[in-house]
């Protein structure tokens, strides 16, 4: 029986919900699955019932697993229900309950991924080297021609096709640890750059452009090697202890620096960083130190918005913006990205309908719940097509891959492209090609 774990569920928090249902229209899974059990209200009710012992954890598992964790429900809720806390608490309990039922090899594989791969930049660098070799040596072409990638499950070959071109090993290894403003310009801000894990391996080009843009805008940019993964993927998988270990390493690394801001360019990482203090609630040693990191954390658009960028290369295009849930609902950074897009000469900005709805990426949700994720993506792509945009801008690597996949699924690769906002700004400043 699973009831021995049920008392650990976040029961008290569920009483904040008055079951009014205002959150239902905001919830993407309620929209696509049309079931109360896949709505915020339904999930909260199920957690309460499980905590009371009326439901087993096995019965709770699917509705919780199929939640995107986008937290759009929180912004729609008039009672201020802290759904994120309820979800994370339920995932923690489910993860430790599941661990006993998971086979030893699987447990070992998960441990290796979460404890040895994501936090280790050297291993991620090697993985990126392997992808670069695969992409640049012609292997990828051969694999595509012979449809060899189709032996992978559909969710993996779909993503393989939209993976960006990885920077070369020498480019990645030669990147400086310090970027200066242009000669003659006094530094406006001194910032530390939070490089992330997968972001710095697969999307290194966007990281490098971010550093160059910040420098061009007048910032001195420091990139320290002692930082590590933010822990967002660990937290979403219910691995609280691992998340805390990574958070402590980051807090220790960044508190040694005298900087104005700690800047990130990934909505999901930023959301994790700005909530570090929640992990250490009541902890005398770590709570205040976490709060100090939170106070300095900024999305790159918040810093660039306070500087001046030389946007002198017009981009004549209709542009729409896929808002990352974690930027919008957790970090609440909504205005700065749009202001920056609007400043680009030649751009016509067109907001899509229901702009705050999740695209279905949600960490690794699109890999492990591929079908459900594609249903959410199809709704999103309908809204994108209505804007007639030729450029979809995002501010999160997961959303970026998902939107690239969306473009491909719609057969629009010749008329539409998906880019990170940093790439578009870099293009408008002459730092990158279109
Ligand atoms: S979560 Fe908030 S909006 Fe949704 S039913 Fe409960 S109280 Fe109402
Ligand atoms: S987090 Fe997103 S998917 Fe999950 S219940 Fe809330 S709105 Fe629905």
């Amino acid at each position: 029986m699973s009831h021995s774990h049920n008392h650990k569920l976040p029961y008290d928090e569920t009483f904040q919900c008055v079951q009014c249902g205002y959150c239902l229209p905001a919830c993407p899974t309620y929209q696509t699955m049309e079931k109360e059990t896949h709505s915020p209200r339904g999930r909260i009710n199920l957690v309460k019932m499980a905590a009371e012992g009326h439901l087993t954890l096995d019965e709770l598992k699917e509705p919780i697993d199929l939640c995107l964790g986008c937290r759009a429900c929180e912004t729609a809720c008039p009672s201020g229900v802290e759904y994120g806390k309820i979800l994370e608490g339920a995932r923690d309990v489910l993860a430790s309950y599941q661990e006993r039922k998971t086979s030893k090899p699987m447990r070992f594989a998960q441990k290796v991924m979460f404890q040895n791969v994501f936090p280790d930049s050297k291993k991620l660098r090697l993985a990126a080297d392997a992808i670069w070799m695969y992409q640049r040596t012609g292997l990828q072409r051969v694999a595509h021609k012979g449809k060899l990638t189709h032996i992978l499950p559909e969710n993996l070959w779909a993503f393989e096709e939209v993976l960006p071109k990885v920077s070369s090993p020498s480019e990645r290894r030669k990147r400086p640890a310090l970027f200066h403003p242009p000669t003659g310009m006094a530094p406006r801000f001194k910032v530390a750059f939070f490089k992330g894990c997968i972001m710095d391996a697969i999307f290194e080009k966007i990281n490098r452009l971010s550093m160059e843009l910040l420098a061009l805008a007048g910032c001195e940019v420091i990139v320290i090697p002692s930082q590590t993964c933010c822990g967002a993927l660990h937290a979403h998988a219910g691995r609280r202890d691992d998340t805390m270990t990574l958070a402590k390493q980051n807090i220790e690394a960044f508190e040694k620096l005298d900087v104005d801001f700690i800047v990130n360019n990934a909505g999901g990482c930023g959301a994790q960083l700005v909530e570090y203090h929640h992990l250490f609630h009541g902890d005398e040693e770590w709570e205040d130190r976490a709060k100090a990191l939170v106070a300095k954390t900024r999305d790159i658009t918040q810093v660039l918005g306070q500087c001046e960028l030389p946007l002198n290369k017009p981009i004549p295009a209709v542009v729409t913006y896929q808002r990352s849930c974690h930027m919008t609902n957790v970090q609440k950074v909504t205005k700065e990205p749009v202001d920056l897009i609007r400043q680009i000469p030649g751009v016509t900005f067109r907001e899509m309908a229901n702009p705050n709805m999740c695209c279905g990426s949600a960490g690794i949700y699109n890999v492990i719940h591929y079908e459900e994720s594609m249903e959410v993506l199809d709704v999103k792509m309908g809204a994108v097509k209505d804007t007639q945009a030729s450029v979809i801008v995002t501010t999160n690597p997961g959303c970026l891959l998902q939107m690239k996949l969306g473009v491909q699924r719609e057969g629009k690769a010749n008329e539409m492209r998906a880019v990170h906002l940093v790439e578009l700004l870099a293009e408008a400043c002459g730092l990158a090609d279109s």
Side-chain angles (χ1 to χ4, degrees):
M1 272 304 277
S2 64
H3 285 148
S4 60
H5 283 255
N6 294 36
H7 70 278
K8 295 182 193 149
L9 286 164
Y11 184 55
D12 292 345
E13 288 82 346
T14 62
F15 283 92
Q16 295 171 332
C17 174
V18 295
Q19 300 287 306
C20 63
Y22 279 111
C23 53
L24 300 185
C27 176
T29 55
Y30 182 64
Q31 195 178 328
T32 53
M33 298 175 196
E34 297 175 331
K35 276 189 185 163
E36 178 73 12
T37 46
H38 296 310
S39 76
R41 180 175 68 184
R43 290 179 174 121
I44 294 169
N45 227 347
L46 294 175
V47 170
K48 186 190 271 178
M49 283 167 67
E52 288 169 351
H54 303 307
L55 202 74
T56 65
L57 290 180
D58 289 311
E59 289 165 310
L60 181 64
K61 188 177 175 334
E62 190 194 75
I64 293 296
D65 276 355
L66 288 178
C67 172
L68 292 152
C70 66
R71 291 170 60 177
C73 45
E74 275 186 24
T75 60
C77 174
S79 307
V81 172
E82 292 175 294
Y83 179 82
K85 276 194 187 162
I86 298 174
L87 177 69
E88 214 160 278
R91 284 194 167 155
D92 263 359
V93 172
L94 284 166
S96 47
Y97 166 63
Q98 282 296 121
E99 199 170 299
R100 289 184 311 153
K101 300 189 2 175
T102 310
S103 67
K104 265 195 180 163
M106 188 50 122
R107 245 187 288 168
F108 179 71
Q110 286 175 352
K111 200 171 161 202
V112 168
M113 278 311 283
F114 284 112
Q115 294 182 354
N116 298 94
V117 178
F118 291 130
D120 188 336
S121 56
K122 282 194 200 100
K123 290 199 179 89
L124 285 171
R125 224 180 287 149
L126 289 175
D129 291 352
I131 297 174
W132 177 82
M133 293 246 302
Y134 170 71
Q135 290 178 334
R136 297 298 162 95
T137 55
L139 253 179
Q140 187 176 37
R141 230 176 314 119
V142 173
H144 284 180
K145 221 171 170 188
K147 295 205 181 335
L148 295 180
T149 53
H150 288 221
I151 56 170
L152 295 167
E154 181 178 24
N155 48 5
L156 288 183
W157 71 255
F159 290 102
E160 187 272 343
E161 292 198 358
V162 294
L163 217 56
K165 290 266 174 280
V166 171
S167 320
S168 74
S170 65
E171 272 175 298
R172 275 180 282 120
R173 284 167 179 80
K174 276 195 318 220
R175 190 180 69 202
L178 200 57
F179 289 75
H180 299 283
T183 322
M185 192 194 262
R188 173 100 204 251
F189 298 118
K190 197 170 167 186
V191 306
F193 191 79
F194 181 81
K195 56 193 173 87
C197 57
I198 294 173
M199 196 70 204
D200 209 42
I202 310 293
F203 298 92
E204 192 276 339
K205 188 176 156 218
I206 299 176
N207 266 5
R208 179 188 291 259
L209 288 174
S210 300
M211 295 162 199
E212 289 175 0
L213 264 184
L214 284 162
L216 196 63
C219 301
E220 189 176 296
V221 187
I222 304 161
V223 194
I224 47 166
S226 48
Q227 60 181 300
T228 186
C229 163
C230 66
L233 290 176
H234 305 70
H236 294 163
R239 302 180 75 96
R240 194 178 168 83
D241 291 348
D242 291 342
T243 314
M244 288 168 84
T245 305
L246 296 171
K248 284 179 184 174
Q249 189 178 329
N250 280 324
I251 293 166
E252 276 184 332
F254 286 108
E255 69 189 356
K256 294 196 181 102
L257 292 177
D258 176 25
V259 290
D260 299 304
F261 304 122
I262 301 162
V263 183
N264 73 82
N265 61 3
C269 301
Q272 184 64 30
L273 295 173
V274 299
E275 293 200 329
Y276 264 5
H277 54 307
H278 292 179
L279 292 168
F280 302 107
H281 187 63
D283 183 321
E284 277 184 24
E285 188 188 349
W286 289 96
E287 189 173 6
D288 284 346
R289 292 166 75 182
K291 281 184 180 162
L293 180 140
V294 170
K296 284 190 177 179
T297 295
R298 297 284 185 283
D299 181 76
I300 188 168
T301 58
Q302 294 177 291
V303 179
L304 292 177
Q306 291 182 57
C307 303
E308 213 158 296
L309 276 171
L311 299 162
N312 42 29
K313 296 239 155 103
I315 302 176
V318 175
V319 175
T320 194
Y321 175 43
Q322 162 49 31
R323 292 167 185 270
S324 135
C325 300
H326 287 107
M327 279 270 281
T328 305
N329 306 329
V330 184
Q331 298 187 71
K332 319 260 191 250
V333 178
T334 52
K335 191 175 171 298
E336 293 86 344
V338 174
D339 286 349
L340 284 165
I341 296 171
R342 285 187 193 277
Q343 280 172 30
I344 299 173
V347 158
T348 304
F349 176 70
R350 225 171 264 161
E351 187 88 271
M352 63 179 88
N354 205 358
N356 293 342
M357 188 186 132
C358 179
C359 63
S361 162
I364 51 168
Y365 185 100
N366 49 3
V367 178
I368 49 183
H369 302 297
Y370 182 73
E371 299 293 337
E372 291 83 358
S373 161
M374 291 305 114
E375 281 174 28
V376 177
L377 176 59
D378 290 345
V379 177
K380 176 60 64 178
M381 288 310 293
V384 167
K385 282 188 293 180
D386 286 346
T387 66
Q388 295 180 324
S390 59
V391 182
I392 313 165
V393 169
T394 79
T395 46
N396 186 49
C399 307
L400 179 58
L401 273 190
Q402 183 84 341
M403 298 318 294
K404 282 178 184 283
L405 189 57
V407 170
Q408 195 198 49
R409 278 167 67 84
E410 296 288 336
K412 298 240 174 238
N414 290 332
E415 51 203 276
M416 226 182 228
R417 63 183 173 127
V419 295
H420 191 289
L421 176 54
V422 158
E423 293 177 282
L424 200 69
L425 292 171
E427 212 177 298
C429 291
L431 286 177
D433 302 328
S434 60

